[in-house]
Amino acid sequence: MNLFLRGFSLAGTIGALLLLPVSSHAELSPLAPEPDWSALDAFQETMTREEFVHWVNTLFCPEGSFWKFTVINGNEVTLFGDKEHTRLLYRLRLAPDLESQLPLRATTVSGWKASKTGASNSKPLRGLVICLDPGHIGGRWAKMEERFFQIGSDPPVVEAELNILAARHAAKLLEAVGATVVWTKRLFEPVTSLRPAGLREEALASLYPAGGGAVVPASFSAEIERRIVREEELLFYRNAEIRARAEIIAKLNPDLTLCIHFNADKWSSHPTRTELVPQSRLVAFVHGNYSEEELMYDDQKWDLLYKLLSRTSIPEQEAAESIAQQMAATWSYPPESYTNWNAARRVGPSPYVFARNLLANRIYRGPVVFVEGPYMNAQDAYDRIIAGDYVGSRVIGGRAYRSIFAEYGEILARGVTAWAGGTTSTVVRH
């Protein structure tokens, strides 16, 4: 999300590294594998110091905590596992200038947009591989995920089902203009082979971290046991499932991944129609905005460097801006503001695009845009959502509406097509 001075002695570099061996005591996020720091070697001298500092300060860590873990000496960045700089993780060589910068050797961002191999006026996305990642599991897991609610005798709202419906519409339209569409999932079953009960050891480690001096009790009260079970569930659907999808994406190697979601505002556990919030808000997330707490984990430091150095941020930002423009034009809902929440930070010219360090957009390789559609519990969207998917128009609340899922699919297809250099008129309603 590694580079050295030209002419810097290779022998000197190796000698310096031997003086500070990499520690084996990695601090890792839950379920994260230990980082392969050698995988970053492909990025040595492929970015200038000026560009590296720019991306850290404007997108990846605007609040500055990344620099607490690093030392820059000329064009060498030394990354440590701790703020005291006692645990060396990696040394990165930066190019001193553009003339000395090596070409990017890692195949992390597709060159399709530059070459547009096979594209034509009628098929502007031919050759482009788009991965659709409909959020959440659904099915019998929906209540565990807390992505299920029902008001009285109204049809239940299950977010995973809504995401799949929108993704199906997007897939048809993207394929119609030449894109190859691949998926992380199509069914309402987990992608991961892990299950909550198999994550007890990890749940205990999360609740009783060894580094914090916590001791696992010999026995548990019923209340603590419920907390352990809940932690197992959270690790299953918020973590193991996303990591399994990341493995699929790594094999598919798409040019762009779209994480497709509907949003919601907070409300009670037993909602009524009177509690529907007045208005939806919209947002598209790109990757970035790491906090100091997140950077305490070695895997997240690795992820930041990988994303930064592979330059996924450029296509992510462009695609997110394009999709956001289509969202605003179609739905006219205002953007999120996040004025009192530091986890998301607005980036770029669009008021709808924010940087956020989500697990999905952090560990999915290649450019990723995480799109949040209308609020499932908003007055302006709820009745349209429970009306389901349909062809043509239907009168809802005294006004004729097309399927909200068809509109969502069109927004994604038009946004991607415009980003890729085609025209939105190429995307025809179906």
Side-chain angles (χ1 to χ4, degrees):
M1 245 204 91
N2 271 245
L3 313 116
F4 272 23
L5 279 170
R6 274 235 178 222
F8 194 92
S9 166
L10 179 60
T13 301
I14 294 173
L17 287 172
L18 291 174
L19 291 174
L20 281 171
V22 175
S23 169
S24 60
H25 302 292
E27 297 291 337
L28 302 176
S29 306
L31 304 188
E34 190 159 347
D36 177 8
W37 294 100
S38 66
L40 297 178
D41 291 345
F43 298 109
Q44 296 286 7
E45 299 181 67
T46 60
M47 182 177 286
T48 65
R49 172 175 169 149
E50 181 181 9
E51 186 179 2
F52 182 86
V53 171
H54 165 79
W55 282 116
V56 170
N57 289 342
T58 60
L59 178 64
F60 288 92
C61 199
E63 51 96 13
S65 58
F66 175 78
W67 304 117
K68 296 180 181 180
F69 299 91
T70 58
V71 172
I72 297 186
N73 183 13
N75 294 312
E76 178 177 292
V77 179
T78 305
L79 177 66
F80 296 90
D82 59 334
K83 292 183 288 185
E84 293 73 32
H85 298 177
T86 64
R87 188 164 59 87
L88 174 69
L89 293 179
Y90 192 69
R91 281 200 173 103
L92 172 68
R93 300 190 304 273
L94 297 167
D97 49 51
L98 289 173
E99 291 71 23
S100 305
Q101 181 175 307
L102 298 176
L104 189 65
R105 298 185 296 276
T107 56
T108 53
V109 178
S110 166
W112 179 88
K113 192 177 177 185
S115 63
K116 295 188 179 179
T117 304
S120 64
N121 289 336
S122 61
K123 301 287 185 181
L125 302 191
R126 181 176 286 144
L128 184 71
V129 179
I130 303 292
C131 182
L132 301 182
D133 178 48
H136 308 293
I137 303 170
R140 64 192 178 100
W141 311 95
K143 291 183 179 179
M144 177 191 293
E145 297 178 288
E146 298 180 332
R147 292 299 186 274
F148 173 103
F149 73 87
Q150 187 171 17
I151 298 178
S153 60
D154 289 350
V157 177
V158 183
E159 190 193 342
E161 296 178 4
L162 314 185
N163 300 335
I164 285 279
L165 288 172
R168 287 173 181 166
H169 282 282
K172 290 178 183 177
L173 293 168
L174 289 166
E175 288 171 343
V177 291
T180 298
V181 175
V182 295
W183 298 67
T184 57
K185 61 158 279 183
R186 291 176 180 265
L187 304 175
F188 301 116
E189 287 294 332
V191 170
T192 178
S193 60
L194 295 172
R195 293 295 181 267
L199 292 167
R200 187 173 181 84
E201 183 178 341
E202 291 80 3
L204 289 172
S206 178
L207 293 171
Y208 299 94
V215 177
V216 180
S219 61
F220 304 101
S221 66
E223 180 181 353
I224 293 178
E225 186 63 38
R226 284 192 291 270
R227 287 180 57 201
I228 294 170
V229 170
R230 185 54 182 157
E231 187 68 18
E232 292 170 351
E233 294 172 345
L234 292 170
L235 287 171
F236 160 66
Y237 71 81
R238 286 187 181 175
N239 201 311
E241 174 68 10
I242 304 303
R243 293 187 183 280
R245 296 190 192 195
E247 292 178 7
I248 292 172
I249 290 171
K251 294 175 182 176
L252 295 171
N253 193 28
D255 299 293
L256 177 69
T257 297
L258 301 178
C259 300
I260 302 168
H261 290 252
F262 277 75
N263 213 338
D265 205 354
K266 294 180 180 179
W267 63 349
S268 70
S269 57
H270 301 287
T272 64
R273 273 187 170 265
T274 59
E275 292 181 81
L276 291 171
V277 299
Q279 189 175 49
S280 292
R281 289 180 177 270
L282 301 171
V283 64
F285 291 115
V286 296
H287 182 58
N289 199 39
Y290 285 70
S291 69
E292 182 173 331
E293 292 73 21
E294 291 163 341
L295 287 173
M296 294 298 294
Y297 297 108
D298 292 354
D299 58 290
Q300 298 208 37
K301 298 184 191 79
W302 188 97
D303 292 332
L304 183 155
L305 286 177
Y306 188 90
K307 284 283 188 176
L308 189 162
L309 295 166
S310 63
R311 292 176 171 83
T312 57
S313 306
I314 297 171
E316 276 185 7
Q317 183 78 30
E318 293 174 348
E321 297 277 353
S322 185
I323 291 169
Q325 184 177 10
Q326 296 298 321
M327 285 199 299
T330 301
W331 284 326
S332 301
Y333 300 142
E336 294 283 5
S337 59
Y338 300 126
T339 52
N340 298 312
W341 193 45
N342 294 330
R345 179 186 290 262
R346 182 182 159 187
V347 290
S350 172
Y352 293 88
V353 178
F354 286 75
R356 188 179 173 192
N357 179 19
L358 294 161
L359 179 61
N361 67 8
R362 185 172 78 245
I363 67 173
Y364 289 2
R365 294 298 167 240
V368 181
V369 179
F370 196 107
V371 189
E372 292 275 11
Y375 287 2
M376 295 173 284
N377 61 337
Q379 294 172 8
D380 53 24
Y382 174 74
D383 284 317
R384 297 187 66 190
I385 286 171
I386 64 171
D389 197 16
Y390 50 85
V391 177
S393 297
R394 188 175 292 181
V395 176
I396 300 172
R399 178 180 167 186
Y401 287 100
R402 296 178 60 241
S403 162
I404 197 169
F405 309 105
E407 288 181 346
Y408 200 166
E410 288 173 11
I411 285 166
L412 295 171
R414 290 177 184 273
V416 171
T417 302
W419 162 73
T423 63
T424 55
S425 61
T426 309
V427 178
V428 180
R429 291 179 178 179
H430 63 98

